[in-house]
Amino acid sequence: MHWMTSIFARLLAAAAILVGLAVTASATDCTNAHEPAAATVDLYAKMSARNACVLQYVPADGFDEIDTQGARHHLNGDAFRGLFASPAHIAFHAEEVQASTFGNTAVVTGVRVGGVTAPGAAPANARALFTLVWVSADGGWQLRHAHLSPLP
C-alpha cells in the first residue's frame, strides 16, 4: 500500500509541474499588439500585471515621459524592472483610446486611469489625458514618447 501512495504522490507532483509550466507559458505570452491602440491597452495591462513582456514595447534606448506635473523622465527597461521588483501597487488601464497612424508612426490619445501607490495604500484612481507616440520597428510597436496632462 505504501508503494501506491508513493506513486500517487509522484503523479500529483508531475501534474503540478505540468500545470505550472502551462501557467508560466501563458503568463509570458509576449505577443506584440498589431495596432497602436491595442498596444496602448496592452502596455497598461502588462504594467499592472508586472509582466516583463511589457518590455517589448520599450525600445532599447528607452523613451521620454512628461508626467502630470510637467517633469520629464527617461524610462527604459531598467526602470520597469525596478518598478516590478518594488513592493508598490501598480494599477493602470486606458480608456477612450483613439489612434491615428501615419506610415510607421502612430499618435494615440486617451485617458489613463490609476497609478502607482505604496504597499497597503488605497489604489490610485487618478485620471490623466495621455498622448503617446509609437513607432513600428522590429516587427512591433514601440513607445517613443508619452505626455500626460492632469484632468480636473
Side-chain angles (χ1 to χ4, degrees), residues 13-79:
I17 289 169
L18 289 174
V19 168
L21 288 173
V23 168
T24 300
S26 65
T28 57
D29 176 18
C30 289
T31 304
N32 192 297
H34 297 300
E35 300 295 330
T40 299
V41 171
D42 194 42
L43 170 85
Y44 288 125
K46 282 182 169 54
M47 285 177 62
S48 297
R50 296 175 187 267
N51 185 333
C53 291
V54 75
L55 297 177
Q56 71 187 339
Y57 296 121
V58 179
D61 60 343
F63 66 93
D64 289 331
E65 177 186 80
I66 308 298
D67 69 20
T68 57
Q69 307 301 309
R72 178 186 167 275
H73 307 278
H74 187 75
L75 303 175
N76 58 21
D78 289 340

Side-chain angles (χ1 to χ4, degrees), residues 105-133:
T105 302
V107 176
V108 179
T109 59
V111 177
R112 186 186 78 178
V113 180
V116 177
T117 57
N125 61 357
R127 298 174 61 81
L129 295 171
F130 66 77
T131 301
L132 306 178
V133 177

